[in-house]
Amino acid sequence: MPTETFEFQVEARQLLQLMIHSVYSNKDVFLRELVSNASDALDKLRLEKLRDDALDADVSDLHIEIDVDKEGRTLTVRDNGIGMSYDEVGRLIGTIANSGTASFLQELREAKDEGGAEGLIGQFGVGFYSGFMAADEMTLVTRRAGEAQGTRWTSRGEATYTLETVDDVPQGTSVTLHLKPADPENQLHDYTSPWKIREIVKRYSDFITWPIRMDQEAGETDGDGADAPEPETLNSMKALWARSREEVSDDEYHELYKHISHDWREPLETIRLQAEGTFEYQSLLFIPSHAPHDLFTREYKRGVQLYVKRVFIMDDCEELLPPYLRFVKGVVDAADLSLNVSREILQQDRHIRMMQRRLTKKVLSTVKEMMTKEADRYATFWREFGTALKEGLVTDSENSEAILAVSSFATTHSDDEPTTLAQYVERMKDGQDDVFYITGESRQSIENSPHMEAFRDKGIEVLLLTDPVDEVWVDTVGEYQGKKLRSVAKGEIDLDAEGDEKADGERAKQAEEYAGLLGWMGEQLDGDIKEVRLSTRLTVSPACVVSDAHDLTPALENMYRAMGQEVPRTKRILELNPDHLLVKGLNQAYKEREDRSGLVESAELLHTLAVLAEGGQPKDPARFVKLVADRLERTL
């Protein structure tokens, strides 16, 4: 097959230019990324050979080689792993096929610091392209295990790349970097220097479980003074999770995290767990310091790496942690599972279920400890992952209490400090039996909601819940420490002290005064509302709409419809403020007029204003605009 030339996507070209012109200064990490890719390829070959013994592949000496050519100024990273086919090279290397490319680039450009840029690049998983920080040109030669022909990919990181089929290619992949000209004033980035290669591998890739080899230069020794013609192994190959805490530094843990997650920032928290007894396993988990940009997309790959007796089994084992902890990265190494375990078997395995329960509790207890001892770190965790964690309040009844204990929420008590439910209960007023909350799209919109007026007037604290999942979990959980979770926008609200004869008498008087208007408006608006009643939650606004105590909120109805579920529209309740001049005037006009047809438009306007006040939309916007324009015209 002749050499073919292809063009990069527009977004891919932009990304490559950012890499070439170095959005960050630590260029050494390109070698870590290439070694990490090579390690993954070796893992995949060993796993595929385990599952298919007939696969024509040599697994007798799996390893990674690094070759340096000082005169030609090239650096080659080679593995004898799974390799790639022609089509796979085009799909995995030749393009950056991801629906989030454009948004990713925007985030990258807006990154305020070097660390932010590094983290975004790592999240996007384009470590291969980091080679262009050190090279003017990159050549990849690969042959997939079991196939006869290989493929060569070449690019200068500009507008195009070439693909061609080649013969006599060894199994695996080699990536050759044609390095940029040497900088005599900066020998720290001389990637043709063996000592530099050793330093980078030791710092970033010492834990890789495959040998990383490099030929020693002529004249170098193996430590006893004799010439050393044999390749030297640069890494210790010791699994960090199998070593004692005292043997491993934080830097080593962090490099393992970066290798696993492809995130170039340090993790927020490292979690170790070792289980012994009838079922033994070791785990090393990490909580990232930043949420990946695709955490809430269907394409997001969740799960931790699964090993059995130090043998890599799979990259994203979803069964080891629940979906609401999908941001957790790490390794679990089990001693008693089969090497041929499949995803189908994992779903049924009782040991896996035991591990998931234990790992979940360990992560939640770590967050709890962070919350009580490291407030700043907890604040970072909740900002990045709180929305995902709250999904567990809906899906994981066994751990809902533990999740609730580490959850915090915006509140009217403070403009910037979130609160826990325990803190809320401590601050509750005497005689207050319920934990009050309101849901909505933003803090500003729900703080200005008419439903909040009486609570603000009486100084009663309200939780301000703005995540879509909040609409669901409050109904699922229902109560906290015997206190009912109660929406300020649902059911009847009476904030007056129980047995207040004066308040009771005033309400009875108002009920009699407005009985005719309420019944008449209920008839006129019957197609849109369930009933009209007087409100005890309004102090400033003329009207508001509320849901019945057990009805779905409009936001929850819309959420279910967006998921393809048919939900009948629920009529809501219109509440009127009997102390508002507009309502008093409407009531007076109702009593004085025998022909009330002219008041129908007023009733309709009052209802639509209430809908707008809570962020809703008029049923008929054009009619609403006409009614308002007509009223304005009459006042001029």
Side-chain angles (χ1 to χ4, degrees):
M1 182 181 294
T3 301
E4 294 185 89
T5 300
F6 300 89
E7 286 193 358
F8 282 112
Q9 303 160 306
V10 173
E11 292 88 352
R13 288 202 300 270
Q14 294 172 349
L15 181 58
L16 285 166
Q17 288 305 306
L18 286 170
M19 302 298 284
I20 291 168
H21 296 295
S22 300
V23 293
Y24 46 88
S25 58
N26 185 14
K27 301 179 188 298
D28 294 354
V29 294
F30 82 87
L31 185 55
R32 176 185 70 189
E33 293 302 304
L34 296 181
V35 168
S36 180
N37 290 345
S39 174
D40 290 344
L42 295 171
D43 286 336
K44 289 173 181 175
L45 177 60
R46 179 166 64 176
L47 182 60
E48 195 157 325
K49 184 67 173 178
L50 279 170
R51 293 177 175 169
D52 180 10
D53 191 53
L55 178 68
D56 182 16
D58 180 7
V59 294
S60 60
D61 181 27
L62 298 179
H63 64 278
I64 300 166
E65 294 178 34
I66 300 178
D67 289 338
V68 172
D69 180 350
K70 281 193 170 185
E71 293 186 5
R73 287 199 58 76
T74 64
L75 174 68
T76 300
V77 178
R78 182 181 299 109
D79 67 75
N80 56 346
I82 191 68
M84 288 176 282
S85 67
Y86 184 94
D87 289 341
E88 285 175 325
V89 172
R91 185 174 73 252
L92 300 175
I93 302 296
T95 61
I96 305 175
N98 187 296
S99 58
T101 304
S103 60
F104 161 75
L105 283 167
Q106 185 64 28
E107 288 182 65
L108 188 59
R109 293 190 190 98
E110 293 174 358
K112 295 180 179 179
D113 54 27
E114 180 180 305
E118 289 181 11
L120 286 167
I121 288 171
Q123 288 173 24
F124 200 69
V126 289
F128 171 80
Y129 292 99
S130 63
F132 283 111
M133 292 189 297
D136 289 325
E137 181 177 324
M138 291 178 65
T139 300
L140 176 144
V141 179
T142 183
R143 177 174 67 81
R144 185 172 180 83
E147 295 190 357
Q149 285 190 308
T151 304
R152 179 184 288 117
W153 176 97
T154 304
S155 177
R156 296 186 62 83
E158 296 169 347
T160 64
Y161 62 92
T162 63
L163 276 179
E164 61 180 311
T165 300
V166 289
D167 297 319
D168 299 324
V169 175
Q171 164 193 307
T173 300
S174 69
V175 180
T176 299
L177 284 73
H178 303 269
L179 298 169
K180 295 178 180 179
D183 182 356
E185 297 181 2
N186 188 359
Q187 294 301 308
L188 290 177
H189 292 307
D190 181 8
Y191 300 114
T192 64
S193 172
W195 71 264
K196 181 64 176 177
I197 302 303
R198 290 192 192 96
E199 177 196 54
I200 296 173
V201 170
K202 189 66 179 175
R203 186 192 315 158
Y204 293 125
S205 307
D206 190 59
F207 58 84
I208 295 290
T209 54
W210 305 106
I212 304 171
R213 299 169 182 165
M214 180 176 69
D215 284 340
Q216 295 191 32
E217 289 185 304
E220 288 193 312
T221 66
D222 60 4
D224 60 5
D227 288 343
E230 295 295 319
E232 80 174 292
T233 299
L234 306 181
N235 59 321
S236 68
M237 297 181 287
K238 293 180 180 178
L240 297 190
W241 58 89
R243 294 159 61 184
S244 68
R245 295 174 188 270
E246 294 74 20
E247 289 183 281
V248 186
S249 68
D250 287 343
D251 286 343
E252 288 177 296
Y253 281 137
H254 295 170
E255 290 309 322
L256 175 63
Y257 164 74
K258 293 171 184 177
H259 168 71
I260 292 170
S261 66
H262 301 291
D263 180 357
W264 291 4
R265 285 177 280 209
E266 294 182 354
L268 185 67
E269 195 68 44
T270 301
I271 306 170
R272 283 193 62 147
L273 179 63
Q274 182 165 334
E276 298 178 345
T278 55
F279 183 67
E280 297 184 0
Y281 62 91
Q282 298 166 313
S283 67
L284 187 55
L285 305 179
F286 302 95
I287 298 176
S289 57
H290 295 266
H293 70 282
D294 57 348
L295 182 64
F296 294 96
T297 66
R298 291 183 180 180
E299 293 79 17
Y300 182 73
K301 290 185 177 180
R302 68 179 182 88
V304 298
Q305 291 187 349
L306 175 63
Y307 284 72
V308 174
K309 301 181 186 71
R310 314 283 168 81
V311 176
F312 174 80
I313 300 299
M314 65 181 64
D315 215 8
D316 304 300
C317 184
E318 298 180 353
E319 290 75 17
L320 287 170
L321 285 171
Y324 64 88
L325 294 180
R326 59 187 174 275
F327 51 85
V328 175
K329 301 297 181 183
V331 171
V332 174
D333 190 349
D336 301 305
L337 289 176
S338 166
L339 290 175
N340 292 315
V341 66
S342 66
R343 291 192 183 274
E344 291 72 28
I345 294 173
L346 288 174
Q347 292 169 2
Q348 308 297 326
D349 193 282
R350 67 182 184 88
H351 290 139
I352 292 292
R353 292 197 295 273
M354 288 168 52
M355 291 164 67
Q356 188 198 77
R357 284 197 293 271
R358 182 91 182 270
L359 293 171
T360 299
K361 291 183 184 301
K362 182 64 175 178
V363 172
L364 293 176
S365 66
T366 301
V367 176
K368 180 68 174 178
E369 187 174 354
M370 199 189 306
M371 186 184 203
T372 55
K373 297 181 180 179
E374 301 175 283
D376 290 344
R377 292 165 73 83
Y378 167 76
T380 298
F381 168 82
W382 190 255
R383 182 182 66 248
E384 298 295 325
F385 304 111
T387 301
L389 192 70
K390 284 187 289 185
E391 295 172 11
L393 295 171
V394 181
T395 60
D396 187 356
S397 58
E398 180 181 344
N399 291 297
S400 62
E401 189 174 328
I403 297 170
L404 212 54
V406 298
S407 297
S408 55
F409 313 96
T411 170
T412 54
H413 178 74
S414 172
D415 290 337
D416 50 16
E417 288 293 327
T419 191
T420 65
L421 288 181
Q423 291 169 331
Y424 180 101
V425 170
E426 286 179 5
R427 293 193 294 262
M428 284 174 60
K429 291 181 174 295
D430 292 339
Q432 181 182 340
D433 297 322
D434 302 321
V435 174
F436 292 107
Y437 70 87
I438 184 171
T439 59
E441 291 186 358
S442 68
R443 175 169 184 146
Q444 181 179 4
S445 66
I446 56 181
E447 277 195 303
N448 293 330
S449 167
H451 302 116
M452 295 283 290
E453 291 175 1
F455 293 88
R456 188 181 299 111
D457 191 51
K458 294 181 180 293
I460 296 175
E461 183 175 356
V462 179
L463 301 178
L464 308 173
L465 309 179
T466 56
D467 290 326
V469 70
D470 293 330
E471 296 280 355
V472 185
W473 76 257
V474 286
D475 286 333
T476 304
V477 172
E479 64 174 43
Y480 176 75
Q481 293 185 356
K483 306 289 185 182
K484 184 179 178 182
L485 301 179
R486 192 170 178 192
S487 171
V488 305
K490 293 178 72 172
E492 294 195 63
I493 297 290
D494 186 357
L495 300 180
D496 290 319
E498 190 174 336
D500 188 332
E501 293 183 6
K502 182 178 179 181
D504 291 343
E506 181 65 23
R507 279 197 291 271
K509 182 179 178 181
Q510 288 177 337
E512 183 179 349
E513 171 74 13
Y514 284 92
L517 176 65
L518 298 180
W520 175 81
M521 286 185 67
E523 293 174 1
Q524 302 305 312
L525 300 173
D526 181 60
D528 299 314
I529 61 172
K530 182 181 293 186
E531 68 170 298
V532 183
R533 67 189 183 202
L534 296 182
S535 179
T536 57
R537 74 186 89 215
L538 296 173
T539 61
V540 178
S541 301
C544 68
V545 284
V546 300
S547 299
D548 223 343
H550 301 292
D551 286 346
L552 297 179
T553 63
L556 198 51
E557 286 184 11
N558 292 335
M559 193 184 306
Y560 283 133
R561 291 191 187 98
M563 293 188 294
Q565 299 185 30
E566 286 297 325
V567 180
R569 292 198 177 275
T570 305
K571 288 185 179 181
R572 303 180 72 204
I573 298 165
L574 177 63
E575 289 191 351
L576 304 183
N577 180 358
D579 297 321
H580 196 281
L581 290 178
L582 178 57
V583 176
K584 287 182 175 181
L586 184 60
N587 188 43
Q588 188 66 30
Y590 167 80
K591 290 181 176 181
E592 293 176 353
R593 298 184 191 178
E594 291 186 11
D595 179 9
R596 301 187 178 100
S597 58
L599 297 179
V600 174
E601 290 183 353
S602 297
E604 188 178 336
L605 278 171
L606 194 59
H607 171 245
T608 307
L609 289 173
V611 171
L612 288 170
E614 68 163 6
Q617 296 295 323
K619 182 176 69 174
D620 186 346
R623 175 171 171 75
F624 173 70
V625 170
K626 183 178 185 304
L627 291 177
V628 172
D630 290 346
R631 289 301 173 98
L632 288 173
E633 184 180 348
R634 289 180 217 166
T635 62
L636 296 177

